[in-house]
Structures are given as C-alpha cells and as structure tokens.
Amino acid sequence: MAPHDLRRPFKRRPISDQQKRRDLSLLRQSQHRSDAQQRARNLASSVISLQSSSSPDADPETLPEPMPDVDTAGHESEASSFSIRQASSLRGPEARKWFASQLMLPEWMIDVPENLSRDWYVLARPAGKRCFVVSTDGVTVSRLRNGSVLHHFPSALPGGARKKGVSGPAQSYSILDCIFHEADQTYYVIDMVCWRGYSLYECTAEFRFFWLQSKLDETGACDPPSFYHKFRFSVVPFYNCDQSGLHSAYTGSLPYVKDGLLFYNKHAHYHTGNTPLVLIWKDERCSQYVIDTDNNGQVPSQQHIVLELQDDGKIVTSDDPPVVVNCLNADFVKQSGLSPGSLVRFAIGDGGLNCVDGKFEKADLQYISVSNRARAFADSYSKIMFQYMARHSPLKVEDLASMISQENQQDKLPEVEMSD
C-alpha cells in the first residue's frame, strides 16, 4: 500500500474518555515535575540551613524537617517500597508481585489521538514476550509481565556479565523494556528506563528514545551472541507519526514478526501500569492475532474478558482507578467458590456492551470460570473495548491516516488577520 492510499476524508466520532485521560496524564506529569523541583529547592535550602545552624547559638527547634525520600517516578516513597537493587534480592511470589507492577502498559487505541502527526511516535511492535531486562552486579535477568523469570544470563549491557578487568560503580544498574522474539532469540528494546544507574522515569519519550539509540550500540549489546553475551539486543525503529512514518511502520519490512503498532506520546514519562500516553493498535495486516483466541488458538464465538472480584461483589478492570463492569450476587459468589481478588472469566452475551464517557452502562456477562493461575491482571477497559470494536466496528488504518491528513490540511491553512 502506497502512502497516498492511506488517506481517506473520514473522522470517527470519539466513543470514550481516552482523550480526556491523556490530557489529565500530561497535566499530572507537569505537576509531578514541579513538585520534584520544589522538593529539590527545599532540600538545598535545608542543607544551607543545617550548615548555618551548626553554631552553638542555634535553636534546635528551628531546624528544618527532613525531606521525604523520593522514588524514581518522582513520588514520595512508602516504607514498603523497594529500589530495583533491593527488589533483585526478593524471591518467589514477592519478587513476581513486585516486578509485575513495574512495566508501563499501553492502553488499546479506541479513539484516534489528537495531534497524532505532531506529538506521537509510531513503531511496529515485535511479536513475543514483553519483559523487563535488568543488568547489575555482573548478571542480567529478564522478567515477564507477570513477574516470573524468563532468562538469567550474561550480557554486554553495563554490569551485565562477570568479566575480568571490567569494573564499574557499585550501585550501577540498567533497566530496559523489551520484547523477546523467539524466532531469532533477540531482545528487541522498545524503551529505556534506567542507564548506568541514571533514572529516565521522568524523562520524556523523546529523550528516552534518543538515549536508547545513542547508548545501547556503544556497549556491544547489539553484537551477535558470544560467551559473555548470550542474547543479542536490537532497537526497534521508531518514526514520527506522519503519513510517511505510519506507512513505514505499517508496511515496512523488518527482521521480526509484527504484532501491531505502538504509539508513544513524545512528552510521556515512563509511568508504571496502564497509561493512555502509550497505545497499541492492531489489524489483520500487521498482526496475526487481532481478536483474542482460546487455548487452542481459535477465535471463540463470543468475546471473553477477565475481571477482578472486589469485596463488595463488584467486578472491575485493571485500570487505576478500576472501572466497574457489573456486580455479582453474594449467593452466586459463595456458590461459585469465589473470593475477593479472584480473576474471573466471562463471555459477553448477545446484549453486548454499552459505554458512556468511559463507563459501562450495560454489560451482558455470562460466567465461565476462574481465570488461569498464571494470569496476573484483569483486562483493562481499553482492551475490552478494542476487542469489542474489532468484532463489530474496528478502528482502521484509514482512520489514523485521515486524522494525519486533516492535521496537515489545518497546518496549511493561512492565518486570517482580524480587522477592527
């Protein structure tokens, strides 16, 4: 398909609050950055005050209060939280639970974002296993989305292998957000979270992607496997989401099997959990699995969803805050042997789903069973809606191209000078 074939003068009407939440996420980022800067100023003032208060005449009651610890995401740390190095010492369920909460998870695209061509990158997502890769103290470990270990191996990443004559800062570590592609045994890197102990959580995607391209190749991590480097790493190419970039990501030839397109807002920080500032979109041309399949790889006649049971019987999505889909009768919960926190699988009946402003007004659900134990999360609201749309009224690549085309036309409109 040529780039001009992607254009179509049609714009879908928004069906959710996804754009509102994008705007809110960007606003919160700005507030967190402002709060972090204010804490830094307060900390600097505290140091000066403490130095001047070292004289015998200083009144201990007037000394400034110590500042709270701040974690890598810019929020006040809780006593129960762990640094990445402390977490590396965890074992079993505790380690899986901690690591399962650290990945930034894209929402499914159910509305085309505003300013798509100006504020977003697009990249072809490799098919494979999403994971964190952590290198520190001479070892590299990859953990899947549910927190379990995928590989334990030496690598050319900083601190990733025990090699003679190689040393570095004792507290240094690196964290990469990757997808492991089985066919060529390669870790395809889609984001950089930390590098040689330097946190990139509060850096924009634009900056993180620049560092990822400039830093990773310097280490030799992109070289073929060797004794001290068991798996090859490769950076996933990303493009500005204009007509040319969308065409390249959608139809371009790549060394891996595609599984949809990822869209990153250029201003997005690395936010753990679901975020509307990173989106995933699929169709039959760029993904083998657009509609969820069952254990046999077959598309079921009804859409299946997984929800979490709460104490009050409400069944909710994995979003923060969770979206309530329905409520189970107490007798049914008891009879089915369910308990709060259970992940429960349902089918969507002929009554379908009805959503208004990001909330379910009606959901025809049919109970199937408790979900597989390997499952770590319920489905998100955006995934449920994307899958529902894929069966009834899918969001097409022409819709994305139409938004880009309209933005280009608006940019070309001449400015009109208003007269008094």
Side-chain angles (χ1 to χ4, degrees), residues 87-116:
S88 65
S89 65
L90 295 175
R91 296 292 182 269
E94 286 186 339
R96 290 193 295 273
K97 182 178 179 180
W98 191 88
F99 278 97
S101 66
Q102 300 307 303
L103 280 171
M104 178 165 67
L105 305 176
E107 289 195 6
W108 292 73
M109 184 188 290
I110 49 180
D111 288 329
V112 182
E114 297 176 358
N115 300 320
L116 183 62

Side-chain angles (χ1 to χ4, degrees), residues 39-244:
R39 283 194 292 266
R41 285 192 289 268
N42 291 343
L43 183 58
S45 299
S46 299
V47 172
I48 295 173
S49 299
L50 286 169
Q51 288 175 339
S52 62
S53 66
S54 59
S55 62
D57 298 330
D59 183 359
E61 295 298 324
T62 63
L63 295 181
E65 295 182 2
M67 295 299 296
D69 293 333
V70 179
D71 65 16
T72 54
H75 308 288
E76 293 182 8
S77 299
E78 299 178 359
S80 60
S81 66
F82 294 92
S83 71
I84 193 72
R85 290 179 59 80
Q86 290 172 319
S88 65
S89 65
L90 295 175
R91 296 292 182 269
E94 286 186 339
R96 290 193 295 273
K97 182 178 179 180
W98 191 88
F99 278 97
S101 66
Q102 300 307 303
L103 280 171
M104 178 165 67
L105 305 176
E107 289 195 6
W108 292 73
M109 184 188 290
I110 49 180
D111 288 329
V112 182
E114 297 176 358
N115 300 320
L116 183 62
S117 61
R118 293 185 289 271
D119 291 343
W120 292 77
Y121 291 124
V122 60
L123 55 95
R125 182 192 185 278
K129 299 175 180 178
R130 177 83 182 279
C131 55
F132 254 153
V133 175
V134 181
S135 63
T136 184
D137 293 333
V139 69
T140 306
V141 178
S142 57
R143 285 185 178 269
L144 298 172
R145 181 182 167 182
N146 64 6
S148 61
V149 173
L150 174 60
H151 294 134
H152 194 282
F153 61 102
S155 77
L157 295 173
R162 293 186 175 90
K163 298 171 65 176
K164 292 183 178 179
V166 176
S167 61
Q171 301 300 314
S172 180
Y173 56 89
S174 295
I175 310 171
L176 300 178
D177 188 341
C178 302
I179 295 174
F180 183 68
H181 190 251
E182 290 275 1
D184 58 5
Q185 294 287 288
T186 297
Y187 279 95
Y188 285 95
V189 188
I190 60 174
D191 212 332
M192 179 181 282
V193 184
C194 293
W195 189 251
R196 297 187 186 273
Y198 179 76
S199 171
L200 299 172
Y201 279 92
E202 283 198 342
C203 298
T204 64
E206 193 169 24
F207 181 84
R208 296 198 310 272
F209 285 11
F210 168 76
W211 259 51
L212 177 57
Q213 284 200 316
S214 61
K215 299 293 183 182
L216 189 65
D217 196 50
E218 297 175 358
T219 65
C222 298
D223 294 344
S226 61
F227 184 80
Y228 288 108
H229 182 57
K230 186 173 181 180
F231 296 104
R232 179 175 173 266
F233 287 77
S234 182
V235 178
V236 174
F238 64 94
Y239 311 90
N240 287 315
C241 195
D242 50 24
Q243 291 284 0
S244 175

